[in-house]
Amino acid sequence: MANHQDETRAAYDGVVELYASLFADRLETQPFARAMIGTFAELVRATGNLRAADVGCGPGHLTAMLHALGLNAFGLDLSPGMVDHARRAHPALRFQEARMESLPIEDGALGGVLAHYSMIHTPPGELPELLAEQVRVLAPGGLLLMSFFGTDGPQPVRFDHKVTPAYSWPADRLAGLLADTGLVPFARLLHDPGSERGFLDAHLLARRS
């Protein structure tokens, strides 16, 4: 996993400003993603534990959105360049460099984890370890919102993402992985973003049992 993570970190470090210019305001044109993040924040607030991690936060725009929605949100990212950008863009919020398979968070501490397209570069065989780490940091009843590229086929599909290679997933298969880690998937949204790659935008909400 170390080699894969090092390659992903270097790739994102090389496109920080371009990535931020393309994606920091992208949710303004993505009503489905906004709705799912809003629902996630509402459900996390209902748990009474407002502490939430934006895992793979990139330039920090979704961390700021979660904060605006009433959560005590902080951002974590593999890329030191992204963390530096997020700190400059949102100086009132906390951002930290971290690996997704080893989060600097105590067991059962969080009411929510947002993973917005942040696990798409993880090879399928390594994904269960990352999901188990998200479960570790969630309190019982805590929520995970995972967004990813969906495919209709039976297997994950590797493709050439513009930054570094990535994978799309069948929603049922990914929901099964979440269930295997002790999460209870209870809502999903799949929609066609008109992507030239032909993948669906997909969002899964799950609760720690």
Side-chain angles (χ1 to χ4, degrees):
M1 184 175 290
N3 288 340
H4 150 67
Q5 296 279 26
D6 291 343
E7 292 169 2
T8 300
R9 178 179 60 201
Y12 275 95
D13 271 346
V15 297
V16 172
E17 298 305 323
L18 175 61
Y19 187 93
S21 69
L22 291 174
F23 293 101
D25 296 321
R26 190 172 179 181
L27 282 194
E28 293 178 1
T29 61
Q30 294 186 329
F32 292 111
R34 286 202 314 272
M36 288 299 282
I37 293 172
T39 299
F40 165 77
E42 180 178 346
L43 293 173
V44 173
R45 291 197 308 268
T47 71
N49 182 348
L50 302 183
R51 195 174 173 206
D54 179 9
V55 178
C57 65
H61 55 300
L62 297 185
T63 315
M65 182 178 179
L66 294 178
H67 177 75
L69 290 169
L71 300 185
N72 179 12
F74 59 97
L76 304 171
D77 202 277
L78 178 68
S79 161
M82 288 291 184
V83 169
D84 180 66
H85 179 97
R87 287 170 174 167
R88 287 185 282 110
H90 308 284
L93 301 180
R94 181 165 67 90
F95 298 94
Q96 182 178 345
E97 184 181 347
R99 289 180 176 267
M100 296 177 71
E101 76 277 13
S102 182
L103 297 174
I105 304 168
E106 59 272 27
D107 293 354
L110 303 184
V113 170
L114 175 67
H116 189 77
Y117 294 93
S118 54
M119 298 188 194
I120 62 172
H121 304 295
T122 304
E126 298 176 7
L127 190 58
E129 181 180 349
L130 263 64
L131 294 175
E133 181 69 351
Q134 318 313 303
V135 174
R136 180 187 69 78
V137 301
L138 280 173
L143 284 299
L144 169 70
L145 174 58
M146 184 176 181
S147 299
F148 57 99
F149 294 109
T151 183
D152 290 328
Q155 301 293 333
V157 177
R158 187 180 186 273
F159 67 94
D160 291 327
H161 186 273
K162 291 180 180 179
V163 179
T164 189
Y167 298 83
S168 65
W169 278 83
D172 285 341
R173 179 91 177 267
L174 195 48
L177 288 183
L178 294 176
D180 289 343
T181 64
L183 292 168
V184 180
F186 64 92
R188 67 177 68 180
L189 172 64
L190 290 86
H191 64 98
D192 181 1
S195 167
E196 68 274 10
R197 290 187 293 262
F199 298 133
L200 301 172
D201 276 346
H203 313 272
L204 280 173
L205 260 173
R207 180 180 288 109
R208 182 176 176 182
S209 57

